[in-house]
Amino acid sequence: MTALRAVPLALIGWLVCVELTSGVLQGYYVTLTPDIARHLGVTDADVNWFEAGQLLLSALLVPVLAKLGDMHGHKKMLLLSTAITAGASWWMAFSGDFWGYLIAFSLQGAYAVWLPLEVALIFDRGRRTGVAPSATRRAAGMLVIALEAGAIIGALGAAAAFGAFGEAMLPTLLLPAVMVTVCFFAILWGVPESEPLPDRKLDAGGFVLLALSLLTITSGLTFLKIGGPEAWWGWAVMGIGVVLLLPFGKWVLGKDDPAIDLRVMRRPEMWPVQLTAGLVGVSLLGAQTPLATYAGTDPSLGYGLGLDASARSILIGVYLLSLIVGAATLAVLSSRVRPRLLLIVAAALVAIGYLLLVPLHLEIWQVFLCMSIAGLGSGALVGALPAAAAAAAPRGQTGVATAMTNTTKTIGGSFASSIFAIVLAAGAIGTAASLGGYIVVWIICGVTALAATIGLIAVPRLAFADPEPPAERAEAPAPIPGA
């Protein structure tokens, strides 16, 4: 019960509303993708640029906003990012051209910093109680439940709204804009501010170097996804981005308060968390499109499930429900089981789920079972990783530490998305990818999750746990008479 009292339920309730909104945004527009393409007069292939732009901008914005949160207050940055997201959502509703929608959709990616900032806020509130790590994991599990529930509501709500408005795009796109605007005022009136450390300065030079590196790496990955493995310029741009990490590392190691403190990131309780975020991002963000296309492949080819759009949505829904169950399990077990063990088991479930797809992929129940296992682990990790990063970070760096789990996850997902597009294009049969391509995708997802599991074993046994209560000092023995 102590962990429950460590963080006010009212705070968690307001932040649950924020994550519910985040989930709606993630599910709403995906459902409307073909209709948005027709509304803007572009091809389905052009829509890929929307996701690429949003991933790129979120990768650049999230570390900066999180660091500013550590410096000036996490609520302030939560309000700023919500204002950016709301403005972008309204712009998207009234935009009727490709470039306007692309810029607005990219700016909407500011919502990616919500969960890291929320975890930092919760950890700050619980810091004085001595049970901040377990309380934060419990609250993070609840936030992820709201996130995934919002994604389901968004996916179903978008189709319902589009039909109810007579397939008119403007009123359909106004609904999420209104929801984000209401969310802004919920944060303004309901969420208390954290206690930042005073007299700190923003390491602008470090963030510029980091932004240049992330910009070139993610741009190179996007070029590879579009142009294929023969697009040498994609490999070249990505290589330049990796090389730019060297001057970034040299710069920040020479600063007392750097953009990203690599001394903290290389701690034994921190680097496995960041590594796991990147490796699990491979399956969490990169494998969903291959799953949908495999489910829709005609079984006459000897593989595939032949599911129509409605049945595919059920498969995705089952996967999302398993994420919710995984997050709920995290919330329930957060104060009963060692956090290191929770992380190891969760990563292992992701590995097992995807590796089982290699032999078990011809029947619908087999795919549903495998994705449910992977979803259980993924749901727990989405909440556990930022909470673990917050617990491992020193005071004043919780926001940027939790944000880095998001950034590494995004980079892992972007890398996987590009590689999977190349793998599935090789040996394609007409418009359908080959079975060998899908098996390679599943093996990559399983092996990366297995590598994350092994990395987490290196974490110190008591990492991320609540500090042990001080031992009661033994009473001094009574003096011996006459001594």
Side-chain angles (χ1 to χ4, degrees), residues 52-96:
Q54 189 174 97
L55 287 174
L56 173 59
L57 197 66
S58 66
L60 299 176
L61 277 179
V62 167
V64 178
L65 290 175
K67 183 71 172 185
L68 288 171
D70 287 336
M71 294 170 58
H72 303 296
H74 300 106
K75 175 183 176 178
K76 292 185 180 68
M77 292 306 109
L78 190 57
L79 282 170
L80 176 60
S81 59
T82 306
I84 294 172
T85 304
S89 300
W90 285 101
W91 185 0
M92 289 164 61
F94 289 98
S95 177

Side-chain angles (χ1 to χ4, degrees), residues 401-464:
T402 56
M404 284 306 296
T405 63
N406 185 286
T407 298
T408 54
K409 181 175 66 179
T410 300
I411 293 174
S414 299
F415 182 79
S417 181
S418 302
I419 296 300
F420 292 168
I422 294 171
V423 168
L424 294 177
I429 305 171
T431 58
S434 67
L435 176 59
Y438 285 113
I439 289 177
V440 170
V441 167
W442 298 329
I443 290 175
I444 291 174
C445 291
V447 169
T448 50
L450 185 61
T453 306
I454 296 171
L456 289 168
I457 294 175
V459 172
R461 189 175 65 88
L462 298 180
F464 324 128

Side-chain angles (χ1 to χ4, degrees), residues 36-437:
I36 291 172
R38 289 194 294 270
H39 171 68
L40 299 176
V42 299
T43 65
D44 289 344
D46 291 331
V47 176
N48 289 325
W49 287 104
F50 298 151
E51 180 184 9
Q54 189 174 97
L55 287 174
L56 173 59
L57 197 66
S58 66
L60 299 176
L61 277 179
V62 167
V64 178
L65 290 175
K67 183 71 172 185
L68 288 171
D70 287 336
M71 294 170 58
H72 303 296
H74 300 106
K75 175 183 176 178
K76 292 185 180 68
M77 292 306 109
L78 190 57
L79 282 170
L80 176 60
S81 59
T82 306
I84 294 172
T85 304
S89 300
W90 285 101
W91 185 0
M92 289 164 61
F94 289 98
S95 177
D97 64 279
F98 171 80
W99 288 106
Y101 192 92
L102 173 62
I103 296 171
F105 193 80
S106 299
L107 287 171
Q108 194 190 55
Y111 72 79
V113 78
W114 288 355
L115 184 59
L117 288 174
E118 289 159 11
V119 169
L121 270 166
I122 293 169
F123 193 87
D124 180 79
R125 295 291 294 181
R127 192 187 297 274
R128 308 166 193 81
T129 66
V131 291
S134 61
T136 304
R137 285 192 301 276
R138 185 181 183 87
M142 297 172 66
L143 295 180
V144 174
I145 292 172
L147 171 66
E148 301 304 338
I152 296 174
I153 294 170
L156 298 176
F162 193 56
F165 289 124
E167 299 189 354
M169 189 57 67
L170 174 59
T172 303
L173 294 182
L174 283 176
L175 290 181
V178 171
M179 190 171 184
V180 179
T181 304
V182 172
C183 183
F184 175 87
F185 291 101
I187 297 169
L188 180 65
W189 295 328
V191 176
E193 183 58 279
S194 59
E195 296 182 6
L197 290 177
D199 303 324
R200 301 181 66 187
K201 295 181 180 179
L202 183 68
D203 178 16
F207 276 118
V208 168
L209 290 172
L210 178 62
L212 287 174
S213 176
L214 293 177
L215 177 65
T216 49
I217 290 174
T218 52
S219 296
L221 290 171
T222 301
F223 294 148
L224 288 176
K225 185 175 181 179
I226 295 172
E230 64 275 8
W232 61 268
W233 57 90
W235 295 105
V237 170
M238 188 168 63
I240 292 172
V242 173
V243 171
L244 284 173
L245 288 173
L246 298 177
F248 165 74
K250 184 176 181 180
W251 174 278
V252 297
L253 286 174
K255 296 288 183 179
D256 293 330
D257 188 11
I260 307 294
D261 195 337
L262 296 183
R263 289 174 288 267
V264 172
M265 292 300 159
R266 67 190 182 196
R267 288 181 177 179
E269 67 272 27
M270 180 66 80
W271 70 260
V273 172
Q274 302 296 342
L275 176 66
T276 298
L279 293 175
V280 173
V282 170
S283 58
L284 192 63
L285 300 180
Q288 303 318 303
T289 297
L291 171 64
T293 56
Y294 180 83
T297 299
D298 189 344
S300 64
L301 296 174
Y303 58 94
L305 303 180
L307 302 180
D308 59 17
S310 177
R312 289 198 300 273
S313 68
I314 294 175
L315 174 61
I316 299 299
V318 169
Y319 176 67
L320 291 176
L321 286 174
S322 67
L323 289 174
I324 292 175
V325 174
T329 303
L330 169 68
V332 171
L333 299 179
S334 60
S335 59
R336 298 181 176 90
V337 180
R338 291 288 185 190
R340 172 179 174 271
L341 180 59
L342 280 176
L343 286 168
I344 291 172
V345 172
L349 285 173
V350 177
I352 291 169
Y354 278 100
L355 291 177
L356 279 177
L357 274 172
V358 176
L360 303 176
H361 56 261
L362 295 180
E363 300 291 338
I364 294 176
W365 70 266
Q366 294 175 336
V367 176
F368 272 60
L369 174 64
C370 294
M371 293 312 302
S372 296
I373 294 172
L376 288 173
S378 297
L381 287 173
V382 170
L385 288 174
R395 188 182 175 198
Q397 297 195 43
T398 52
V400 73
T402 56
M404 284 306 296
T405 63
N406 185 286
T407 298
T408 54
K409 181 175 66 179
T410 300
I411 293 174
S414 299
F415 182 79
S417 181
S418 302
I419 296 300
F420 292 168
I422 294 171
V423 168
L424 294 177
I429 305 171
T431 58
S434 67
L435 176 59

